[in-house]
Structure formats: C-alpha cells, structure tokens
Amino acid sequence: MQETELKCIINKDVFENIKNAYTWDKIITQENHYYADTSGVLGSHRATFRIRTSGGISRIQIKLHKNRNSPLQICEELEFPINEIPEHISADKAKEYTGLDVGELIRLGSNTTIRHSLMWNETTEICLDLSTYLDCEDYEIEVEYTGELPAKLLDELKALGAEFKENSVGKYTRFIKRFNEVFFDTKR
C-alpha cells in the first residue's frame, strides 16, 4: 500500500487548538515498538521496522520512504500480522518480512501515541498525535490523502497554527534521536 501524507511537528498550544476545532471520528491509543539492525541495511534503504499494537491487534509494519527533506511523505508500507512483541527477530524472519539481508533485528523500545482522527472529506484524513517515549512528549499533525490535497484544509490548519513548511521528521526518527541522547550522550 502506498501512503501519501503531509505532516509537521506542532507545539502543545497548536495541538489543543486543532483538537478543540474539530469533532473527531475516533480517538485511539497505539503503541509502536521500534526495531533496528546492527548492519545499517534498513537505514541505507530508508526503511523502518516496527510492530504497532492498537485495539489488542499487533502488526509488523515496514515503511520504505520514497522521498527526502520534505513535509510531504510518500511511503510504501508492508504489513504482516503477529501475535507477540519479541525482543529479537531472527535474521531469517527479518529477511522474510523486509526482503533485505538485515541480519537480526533488536527491539529498541516503544512509543505510545494517542491519535485523534477524522475523515475531513472522502479522500482526506486528519490525524492529530500526542506521543510519549523515553521521558519525552511531542505533538504532530498528519494529513493523509489520495488525489488532490484540499487547499481549504491547509488554510484551516494554518489558521489554527499548523504550517507544513519544514522537513518532516517521523516518529521513528524522533525516537532514535531521543534513544541516542538517553543511552549514548557522553556529555551527561
């Protein structure tokens, strides 16, 4: 499945403005368990590997990022059911899922996200996320769409404080940055 989304990091005030401006279709909690390979193959292919749990259902999700340095994210996403959250995924299984020789995958930790979502129109969904991980909290808005991105929606969101003009940094990248600060920052 190809996913096209516009996203940006927002502050708590903008999050509250947007949250209060709409009537949300759903509010769910999801947990993303992030995995890494020691070989660096996933990173060289701009791929991420996670297990997402929501509503008692867990799925492996592999995202293959198609573009760089933009608030617009285009990803190919693969998904597989799984019944557990393992600490390690064997090299054979990792290759089966990703199609890449990544070696063994190791679970680094998780991110818990409370997601507010609504279908703004028949082709456009707004997702408003509050994420917590490694003693950190951040806020993000994503607009997932097919076809044309509605200019009226962008105007609405801009009036509420969200501007999609900077490079987008996804949850996995933010998690890894914080992981490195917590576990490898030699200045502490």
Side-chain angles (χ1 to χ4, degrees):
M1 164 179 83
Q2 182 164 303
E3 175 181 89
T4 304
E5 64 186 11
L6 197 60
K7 59 169 62 178
C8 73
I9 303 297
I10 55 178
N11 64 35
K12 186 175 184 175
D13 290 338
V14 172
F15 175 89
E16 292 296 331
N17 289 344
I18 295 169
K19 186 175 90 170
N20 294 328
Y22 295 99
T23 301
W24 300 94
D25 298 333
K26 293 186 285 188
I27 301 172
I28 61 168
T29 300
Q30 57 191 28
E31 192 165 13
N32 295 310
H33 301 270
Y34 296 119
Y35 291 79
D37 60 321
T38 58
S39 63
V41 172
L42 284 175
S44 70
H45 283 84
R46 302 197 67 240
T48 59
F49 190 105
R50 71 182 177 206
I51 296 176
R52 174 173 282 172
T53 301
S54 183
I57 298 170
S58 298
R59 292 180 180 85
I60 292 172
Q61 295 178 330
I62 296 112
K63 282 192 170 194
L64 305 166
H65 299 271
K66 305 283 187 181
N67 63 331
R68 293 178 187 256
N69 302 323
S70 172
L72 177 67
Q73 294 292 298
I74 301 171
C75 299
E76 187 70 29
E77 194 170 286
L78 307 171
E79 196 170 89
F80 307 92
I82 192 166
N83 294 323
E84 60 180 342
I85 311 297
E87 292 300 313
H88 302 273
I89 295 174
S90 72
D92 290 340
K93 280 291 191 189
K95 184 174 183 179
E96 180 183 321
Y97 293 129
T98 65
L100 303 169
D101 283 314
V102 298
E104 180 182 54
L105 296 175
I106 301 162
R107 183 179 170 279
L108 300 177
S110 64
N111 155 331
T112 300
T113 298
I114 299 171
R115 171 167 280 190
H116 295 70
S117 66
L118 73 92
M119 289 304 296
W120 188 81
N121 67 19
E122 61 279 348
T123 62
T124 308
E125 180 180 24
I126 302 172
C127 298
L128 186 65
D129 295 341
L130 163 59
S131 296
T132 55
Y133 53 96
L134 302 171
D135 298 326
C136 186
E137 185 173 90
D138 66 32
Y139 308 88
E140 176 181 40
I141 184 162
E142 300 178 1
V143 178
E144 297 181 14
Y145 63 96
T146 56
E148 292 271 328
L149 178 62
K152 182 178 185 292
L153 173 59
L154 291 181
D155 290 342
E156 282 179 17
L157 294 173
K158 184 176 182 179
L160 294 168
E163 293 194 57
F164 300 90
K165 58 184 181 182
E166 296 182 14
N167 296 344
S168 176
V169 179
K171 289 176 184 68
Y172 177 78
T173 301
R174 297 191 316 265
F175 175 87
I176 292 299
K177 180 179 185 273
R178 181 67 180 147
F179 181 89
N180 287 330
E181 289 170 357
V182 169
F183 295 105
F184 298 110
D185 186 0
T186 58
K187 296 175 192 155
R188 296 190 303 133

